Structures are given as structure tokens and as C-alpha cells.
């Protein structure tokens, strides 16, 4: 059974990631505890945990607010995630995966394709998110997966905003590149897969961070 503080942590973090509590907005401990049906103590514990992970800022006499994320912060985090993902691709290809081993990646790519047909940006983004997390897990490096997911958690809110600013062509091209990555992972030469994924990550960084900079969104 989950502890009350774990429940509060997951609930508040989800609200922040979905943008339902926007950057800069304060979080009322009492109101949050009442909404979740728990006491203030586990909510406070959850907020301290979120502060340690830089999701919120707790200022003396200034209350608790959602920490903003700048476009430069977003770019730096994308670069770290890219480094981890390229390492994950290299590790995975060395394991010589079969198509069955990559079934999860195939399934998420198909969900992305279905989301394009349905013009469902949120569904596409969720499938894309699951794809990248699965990619890191399939590397077999538990620490890489753990750190990579932490970084993706932190940038998720900004990623969702940037994705909604993009044109449908971006999602179509990105989905095609996901499918190409799967084929590259099955190829005998792993350098091809790592190079291809590195270049795709660069394109994704420029497309998503670039659109945020284009619209001069200073706080995500």
C-alpha cells in the first residue's frame, strides 16, 4: 500500500507536468491536502521531495511555487537526454536484439501512427514518451534508465508545450524516424544506429526548443 506522501508526490507532480499548476503559481498545502483527502504532513513531505528534484521552489515567507523552466534550461536538458539515449542505443545494439525484443518500441510507433491519423497530439506525445523510456530501459543499464527517466520527467511539461506548437509535419517525420531507428537497431553495425539517433536528437532539439524560442516563451 502506497504511503500518503508517495500518493501526494505523484499527484502533485502529475499536475505540474500536465501544466494544470503552471510555472510560478503557488501551491496551497491546506487546499492540496483537502483535495487529496489526506493531512498536511504528507503533502509537506511530497513538496520537500519535489523541491529536491527542482519541480517546486520553497521560499521563506514566499510560499511554495512551481519552478519555471527557461528555453535555455530546456535545451541543456535535451542535450543530456540525447547523450543518455545515444549511449542506450549503442548498448542495445551490442546486445544484438531480435525484432521480438523490440516489440514494445514497435507497438509505441504504431500508436504514434494511429495518433497522427486521429490528429491527437496528446496521444502521440504519450506514445513518444513511452518509446523513449522503453529505449533506455532496453539498454540494460538500470542507472542510465533511472537518470534518463528523471530528466524526462523534469522536461516533460516543457516538451508537451513545445509539441503543441509544432505542425503535424513534425510528428509525421518524427514517427518515421522512430521506425527507422528500430530497423537500425536490428542492423549488424551499431555505429549506424548511434549516429542516426544522435542526428535525430539534434533535429528534435532544434525543432522543439527552436519553436519555444520562436514564440519567445520565457517560462515553461
Amino acid at each position: 500500500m502506497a504511503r500518503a506522501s508517495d500518493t501526494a508526490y505523484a499527484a502533485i507532480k502529475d499536475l505540474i507536468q500536465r501544466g494544470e499548476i503552471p510555472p510560478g503559481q503557488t501551491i496551497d498545502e491546506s487546499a492540496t491536502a483537502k483535495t487529496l483527502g489526506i493531512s498536511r504532513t504528507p503533502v509537506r513531505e511530497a513538496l520537500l521531495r519535489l523541491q529536491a528534484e527542482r519541480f517546486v521552489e520553497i521560499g521563506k515567507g514566499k510560499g511554495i511555487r512551481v519552478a519555471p523552466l527557461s528555453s535555455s534550461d530546456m535545451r541543456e536538458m535535451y542535450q543530456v537526454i540525447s547523450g543518455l539515449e545515444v549511449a542506450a542505443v549503442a548498448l542495445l545494439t551490442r546486445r544484438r536484439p531480435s525484432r521480438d525484443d523490440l516489440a514494445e518500441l514497435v507497438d509505441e510507433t504504431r500508436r504514434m501512427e494511429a495518433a497522427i491519423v486521429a490528429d491527437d497530439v496528446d496521444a502521440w506525445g504519450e506514445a513518444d514518451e513511452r518509446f523513449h523510456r522503453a529505449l533506455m530501459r532496453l539498454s540494460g543499464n538500470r542507472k542510465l534508465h533511472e537518470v534518463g527517466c528523471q530528466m524526462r520527467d523534469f522536461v516533460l511539461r516543457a516538451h508537451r508545450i513545445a509539441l503543441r506548437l509544432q505542425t503535424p509535419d513534425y510528428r509525421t517525420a518524427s514517427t518515421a524516424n522512430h521506425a527507422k531507428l528500430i530497423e537500425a537497431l536490428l542492423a549488424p553495425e551499431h555505429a549506424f544506429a548511434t549516429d542516426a539517433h544522435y542526428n535525430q536528437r539534434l533535429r528534435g532539439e532544434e525543432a522543439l526548443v527552436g519553436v519555444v524560442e520562436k514564440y519567445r516563451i520565457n517560462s515553461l
Side-chain angles (χ1 to χ4, degrees), residues 13 80-81 83-89 91 95 104-105 129-154:
K13 183 177 177 181
V80 173
I81 292 169
L84 291 170
E85 284 201 14
V86 170
V89 168
L91 289 170
R95 296 171 62 188
E104 190 173 356
L105 301 183
E129 192 67 31
R130 290 191 298 268
F131 180 101
H132 289 280
R133 290 172 189 256
L135 176 66
M136 291 187 289
R137 178 173 50 76
L138 289 170
S139 74
N141 185 317
R142 289 177 296 175
K143 287 298 182 183
L144 185 153
H145 178 238
E146 179 184 348
V147 174
C149 285
Q150 288 173 349
M151 295 299 295
R152 292 197 70 90
D153 278 350
F154 196 71

Side-chain angles (χ1 to χ4, degrees), residues 150-170:
Q150 288 173 349
M151 295 299 295
R152 292 197 70 90
D153 278 350
F154 196 71
V155 80
L156 184 56
R157 180 183 69 218
H159 180 82
R160 284 171 169 158
I161 293 171
L163 186 58
R164 293 186 186 115
L165 294 172
Q166 273 294 347
T167 65
D169 289 344
Y170 168 79

